[in-house]
């Protein structure tokens, strides 16, 4: 079964950018939908966006135009590019894999998860 590991988090100033990486081990992404979520302590995990096998993406409204998801199945790697970050973007970011070809926006529809990487945005 595929396992995922996120990296690239850190402290950035409001308006800045960073790129998160999700890498697979012990398997491949396959042709299935992959997603990014984020979570603040004490709150539920929140959908950020997802990407289909052909590269089509869907995003939470508040990040549209600022965040971009991409994937390279040959490298078993997915990225989340965060631009024009805001303090409200501060969270632990998780990547997730599925066994579905559909658009998935809820955590329960995903099968594999990374450990998370912290993104902190200062104002």
């Amino acid at each position: 079964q595929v396992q995922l590991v996120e990296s690239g988090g850190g402290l950035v100033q409001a308006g800045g950018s960073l790129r998160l990486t999700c890498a697979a081990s012990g398997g491949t992404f396959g042709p299935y939908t992959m997603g990014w979520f984020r979570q603040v302590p004490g709150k539920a995990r929140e959908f950020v966006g997802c990407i289909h096998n052909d590269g089509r993406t869907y995003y939470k409204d508040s990040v549209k135009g600022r965040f971009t998801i991409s994937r390279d199945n040959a490298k078993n790697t997915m990225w989340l590019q965060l631009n024009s970050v805001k303090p409200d973007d501060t969270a632990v970011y998780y990547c997730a894999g599925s066994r579905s070809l559909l658009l998935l926006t809820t955590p329960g529809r995903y099968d594999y998860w990374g450990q998370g990487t912290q993104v902190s945005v200062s104002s």
Side-chain angles (χ1 to χ4, degrees), residues 75-90:
K75 297 180 179 179
N76 296 311
T77 304
M78 177 176 64
W79 298 270
L80 175 65
Q81 178 70 42
L82 298 83
N83 295 329
S84 302
V85 296
K86 305 174 181 179
D88 284 349
D89 295 323
T90 296

Side-chain angles (χ1 to χ4, degrees), residues 26-69:
T28 64
F29 291 169
Y32 304 115
T33 300
M34 304 288 294
W36 285 96
F37 291 77
R38 63 189 184 187
Q39 189 167 26
V40 175
K43 297 207 171 192
R45 196 161 295 188
E46 177 186 55
F47 174 76
V48 174
C50 63
I51 183 168
H52 294 82
N53 186 55
D54 63 3
R56 289 177 295 128
T57 53
Y58 180 80
Y59 301 97
K60 172 184 175 67
D61 284 345
S62 64
V63 308
K64 287 180 180 178
R66 299 189 299 119
F67 293 6
T68 303
I69 299 171

Side-chain angles (χ1 to χ4, degrees), residues 1-2 6 18 23-24 47 49 54 56 59 65 70 72 108:
Q1 293 182 337
V2 63
E6 303 94 339
L18 76 168
F47 174 76
D54 63 3
R56 289 177 295 128
Y59 301 97
S70 57
D72 186 335

